[in-house]
Amino acid sequence: MIKKVSIKDIARKVGVSTALVSYVLNGKAEQARVGKEMAEKISKVAREMNYQPNLIARGLKDGRTKTIGLIVADISNAFFSSLARIIEDEAKQHGYTVIFGSSDEQPGKMADLITALLNRQVDGMIIAPVEHGDAQIQELRRKGISFVLVDRYYHKINTNRVTINNHEASFNAVKLLIKNGYKKPGMLAYDNSLPHMQERIRGYEQALKEAHIRRKPEWLARIPYATANTDMESLLSNLLRGPNAPDALFFATNSLAVQGLKIINRMGIRVPQELGLISFDEHDAFDFFYSPVTYVSQNLLAIGQETVRMLISQIEDGKKSEPVQLEIPAKLVKRESCGSKPAGKKK
């Protein structure tokens, strides 16, 4: 096992006190009146010996580790991986390092990640919460831990969060399908109770209501996250080949859309001639589908930057203030998959 280099090792090699090395490595050389030449020598030796600071020990000493914990639902999802990168870059601008984890939509795993991050002495957390994980968030509040919820939230917990107006974004997407001539829009959503998903469903339903379209119950299809990979094909086949098949589909997430596009293509359904499509959130795959997919675009740069700034403000101000709920505007990127319906299409 390779021995970890300590400040004492560096001091011994340079021939100075450990206090002097500590001042230099903690950026306090000038304050301690350490000469420039000596400070450069200490820094050079530290690099040569591959010295790595013990952030946890430093955190115990001064109350800060300059680290942030980030928990997302699934880091392999394009939305969360892009958001994580933006959060990492913004945190770095403020001198913070980000530690990542994926909850896989499991409250138990989210709880384990929170515990692990607290054990690492992170200064605060950014969390995309999962269904039935509200008890963990309440516990963070009780302990006075700095955190911000991103993308999602819980109705009954008044806390700092950065989201979009999911209802409005969904409403506008389905309204576009209707405007382009689709009379029977359907929706595919995850089967969970989180507000962001329920708001997307509510937006879909309101768009139909305002257009005086009476929705068939089967047009709104819900699928559990855990079984989406195995059940999607049979669900879509039944939905799109049934007697009351919708003539358009609004996917509640990009992960559902990517899976759905593969199945729709295998079924030989033409887009947009036979089926209009819109997805919530973008994905690289949308560019490679023969009919580029229209999607709701969330401003990930603004979401990530504002989330980090909100958290660091909590960490560094150290004051308890009223929670802030920030909504970042979303926009609809219109492409070929929801084009105007051909005049000869059967209703």
Side-chain angles (χ1 to χ4, degrees), residues 27-171:
K28 298 178 180 179
E30 188 175 337
Q31 179 183 330
R33 297 182 180 179
V34 180
K36 185 178 179 181
E37 187 176 334
M38 178 56 71
E40 289 176 353
K41 183 177 181 181
I42 291 171
S43 297
K44 182 182 178 182
V45 170
R47 288 193 300 272
E48 290 173 349
M49 297 180 73
N50 196 27
Y51 169 74
Q52 299 294 327
N54 188 330
L55 295 178
I56 294 178
R58 183 184 294 176
L60 291 171
K61 183 179 179 181
D62 61 18
R64 296 273 178 83
T65 61
K66 301 294 281 188
T67 57
I68 290 172
L70 172 62
I71 301 175
V72 297
D74 180 3
I75 199 65
S76 69
N77 181 293
F79 172 82
F80 286 116
S81 59
S82 297
L83 181 61
R85 181 55 188 265
I86 291 166
I87 287 173
E88 182 181 31
D89 290 344
E90 182 65 19
K92 186 177 180 181
Q93 293 296 317
H94 295 269
Y96 284 78
T97 300
V98 178
I99 303 172
F100 301 88
S102 293
S103 66
D104 296 327
E105 302 288 2
Q106 299 173 29
K109 190 169 182 183
M110 187 178 90
D112 291 342
L113 286 169
I114 288 174
T115 299
L117 290 169
L118 290 176
N119 288 338
R120 291 290 300 268
Q121 301 289 323
V122 295
D123 296 327
M125 297 187 202
I126 294 171
I127 303 172
V130 303
E131 187 179 29
H132 308 309
D134 43 326
Q136 307 302 325
I137 302 303
Q138 291 281 30
E139 183 65 9
L140 288 178
R141 287 184 65 190
R142 188 187 68 79
K143 291 179 177 178
I145 305 297
S146 297
F147 69 92
V148 177
L149 301 186
V150 65
D151 183 54
R152 310 163 172 194
Y153 62 98
Y154 300 109
H155 275 308
K156 295 181 179 180
I157 304 178
N158 183 28
T159 190
N160 295 288
R161 67 176 191 246
V162 179
T163 60
I164 67 163
N165 188 324
N166 286 281
H167 170 267
E168 181 181 70
S170 179
F171 173 82

Side-chain angles (χ1 to χ4, degrees), residues 247-272:
D247 59 3
L249 266 184
F250 174 50
F251 292 100
T253 74
N254 59 3
S255 56
L256 290 172
V258 170
Q259 291 183 70
L261 290 176
K262 296 175 184 176
I263 296 163
I264 289 166
N265 197 42
R266 283 201 297 270
M267 292 174 70
I269 297 174
R270 295 179 301 156
V271 176

Side-chain angles (χ1 to χ4, degrees), residues 2-3 6 10 65 87 94 99 106 112 140 148 162 185 190-191 199 214 245 268 275 308 323 327 332 337:
I2 299 174
K3 182 178 179 293
S6 68
I10 298 169
T65 61
I87 287 173
H94 295 269
I99 303 172
Q106 299 173 29
D112 291 342
L140 288 178
V148 177
V162 179
Y190 281 123
D191 186 14
E199 286 297 292
R214 182 174 295 179
L275 186 71
V308 172
E327 273 191 0
L332 193 56
S337 70

